[in-house]
Amino acid sequence: MSRYTMVAAVVAAGTLAAPAAGQEGWEGWRTDFSRHTVPLDQIVAGGPPKDGIPSIDDPRFVPVEQADRWLESDEPVLVVEANGEVKAYPLQIMVWHEIVNDRIGGVPVAVTYCPLCNTGISFDRRHDGRVLEFGVTGMLRHSDMVMYDRQTESWWQQASGEGIVGRYAGDELRWIPTQTLSWERFQKAHPDAPVLSRDTDHRRPYGRNPYVGYDLSGPRGGPYRQLLRGSETDDRLPAMERVAAVHLDGESVAFPFSRLKEVEVANADVAGRPVAVFWGPGTASALQARNVAGGRDVGSTGVFYRTLDDRVLSFEALGDGAFRDRQTGSTWNLLGQATSGPLAGRELEGVPHGDFFWFAWGVFRPDTRVWR
């Protein structure tokens, strides 16, 4: 059973004939299952077998002008920057592959996206003196993709970057700042940046959403209740509420999109560090309509350290993804770039974060503080 069939059944019927917890699909692995940091019965078969959702290991890229022929203005793309190089990874491709093993600015990077949790996260692939290459196990834990590295076949939790089974159980990958933006915002900010190509050596209906209606909460709370299968749930927010999720120095904070939509900017402190959370409209949900570009506008966020040149900035919203700092009057965009004023040309440092569904962040970070 594919994840498409599985999720379609959930949405249509409100139930899920999921694989029983246990060892199903665990045959043939070189993983050391004696080493694990989570109960093994929390890990269940998600439908596809090992590498049944194929990672992209030799990614090709096209210029913005070419990608603009098949990307709509409000389509979501993952934007990743390392060592001054920026690349875009359209979710219309990521939803079918979930992992891209790449290099950005010379840094080996795994760009990942789990549709069931709406988690677009990038990791540094350098670990323990080697460069790891990641694939999709076909397993899920709390609905989130379980990745594996092809060097040791250790299993890794995508939502946290933590090794959970095998040689690297207990280890953690380093997050690289990743932002979900609309195609229009990205191409205006980075007109010369490379964009992941549809030429992947795989035949997939790119542009189509295999999870139609997934992010629409129904009267029973949406399909997540079946997919979580016994996990503890946190009712402080609706299960399918999107949150800008931040974890710094042991403290976790979730910024609900519903609240951010009202105020558009949050000047906050996380673990004693001043951060700014920007929200702007114009980004479609990749997980609602039959076509990715047809999803409703859910907006997108940027999270940045708001200390610049030893000065803490505070921001106010100007509307439509534009912001102004109160200290200098400079204007900033959703990417943390100053576009006018005394600080024009400067950029804020990005804070690693993810735009999660609340149920997914809450189950992995139950100690999270919800920003109001």
Side-chain angles (χ1 to χ4, degrees):
M1 177 185 293
S2 70
R3 285 192 191 169
Y4 169 78
T5 304
M6 180 174 65
V7 174
V10 170
V11 174
T15 59
L16 174 64
Q23 310 297 317
E24 180 178 344
W26 293 24
E27 304 83 3
W29 286 91
R30 295 184 290 106
T31 308
D32 180 1
F33 290 104
S34 69
R35 294 174 56 88
H36 56 93
T37 59
V38 301
L40 293 179
D41 62 4
Q42 289 184 351
I43 305 172
V44 299
K50 175 184 180 183
D51 293 321
I53 297 175
S55 61
I56 299 176
D57 304 323
D58 185 21
R60 303 178 180 95
F61 293 85
V62 296
V64 163
E65 294 81 0
Q66 185 173 336
D68 196 43
R69 300 171 190 167
W70 44 268
L71 281 168
E72 300 293 333
S73 60
D74 59 351
E75 275 198 57
V77 299
L78 297 180
V79 181
V80 189
E81 180 175 1
N83 286 345
E85 183 179 14
V86 180
K87 292 184 178 182
Y89 302 80
L91 287 194
Q92 66 159 260
I93 300 173
M94 296 299 299
V95 75
W96 293 99
H97 294 281
E98 302 191 4
I99 297 175
V100 178
N101 291 291
D102 198 9
R103 287 180 178 267
I104 305 175
V107 178
V109 171
V111 181
T112 73
Y113 178 68
C114 176
L116 299 184
C117 294
N118 193 50
T119 45
I121 308 171
S122 300
F123 303 103
D124 191 329
R125 293 193 286 124
R126 295 172 296 188
H127 186 75
D128 192 30
R130 64 175 84 188
V131 175
L132 303 178
E133 182 180 275
F134 290 92
V136 181
T137 63
M139 303 294 175
L140 299 172
R141 177 170 171 260
H142 302 321
S143 299
D144 182 59
M145 169 176 52
V146 177
M147 313 184 299
Y148 79 98
D149 70 75
R150 295 191 172 112
Q151 283 65 36
T152 72
E153 296 204 350
S154 297
W155 292 7
W156 301 79
Q157 192 74 62
Q158 184 261 356
S160 63
E162 297 171 331
I164 57 174
V165 182
R167 173 174 174 174
Y168 290 137
D171 289 8
E172 188 169 350
L173 299 171
R174 184 176 71 88
W175 288 38
I176 292 177
T178 301
Q179 190 174 11
T180 303
L181 288 175
S182 70
W183 170 241
E184 182 177 29
R185 288 192 192 277
F186 172 79
Q187 65 175 329
K188 285 182 178 178
H190 298 288
D192 299 320
V195 182
L196 181 66
S197 171
R198 283 173 153 185
D199 182 11
T200 63
D201 293 330
H202 297 279
R203 296 186 64 182
R204 297 290 188 276
Y206 299 124
R208 300 293 294 272
N209 167 29
Y211 301 88
V212 177
Y214 176 69
D215 69 347
L216 294 177
S217 294
R220 297 173 57 192
Y224 87 102
R225 293 197 183 278
Q226 286 76 33
L227 291 168
L228 278 172
R229 298 187 59 225
S231 302
E232 293 294 325
T233 57
D234 190 325
D235 293 331
R236 285 181 291 169
L237 293 170
M240 306 302 279
E241 167 92 54
R242 284 173 166 81
V243 298
V246 180
H247 181 75
L248 283 178
D249 301 331
E251 183 180 10
S252 299
V253 183
F255 298 83
F257 272 40
S258 59
R259 178 62 176 144
L260 290 172
K261 185 177 180 179
E262 295 175 353
V263 299
E264 299 190 23
V265 62
N267 296 290
D269 292 294
V270 180
R273 306 185 69 175
V275 303
V277 183
F278 295 163
W279 180 92
T283 303
S285 165
L287 302 170
Q288 179 195 355
R290 185 170 300 278
N291 294 320
V292 169
R296 72 188 190 283
D297 183 356
V298 295
S300 54
T301 66
V303 182
F304 307 96
Y305 295 107
R306 53 189 177 95
T307 301
L308 191 67
D309 297 334
D310 297 324
R311 176 168 49 182
V312 177
L313 303 177
S314 59
F315 294 89
E316 58 187 7
L318 301 177
D320 196 30
F323 311 89
R324 180 171 54 218
D325 72 73
R326 298 187 179 100
Q327 285 68 34
T328 74
S330 299
T331 302
W332 302 76
N333 64 17
L334 196 57
L335 292 86
Q337 301 168 332
T339 56
S340 67
L343 297 178
R346 301 293 302 275
E347 294 189 23
L348 300 173
E349 181 184 353
V351 176
H353 81 289
D355 290 343
F356 283 57
F357 288 137
W358 167 244
F359 82 82
W361 183 255
V363 76
F364 289 110
R365 303 287 187 187
D367 57 345
T368 290
R369 172 167 58 93
V370 176
W371 180 84
R372 303 290 187 180

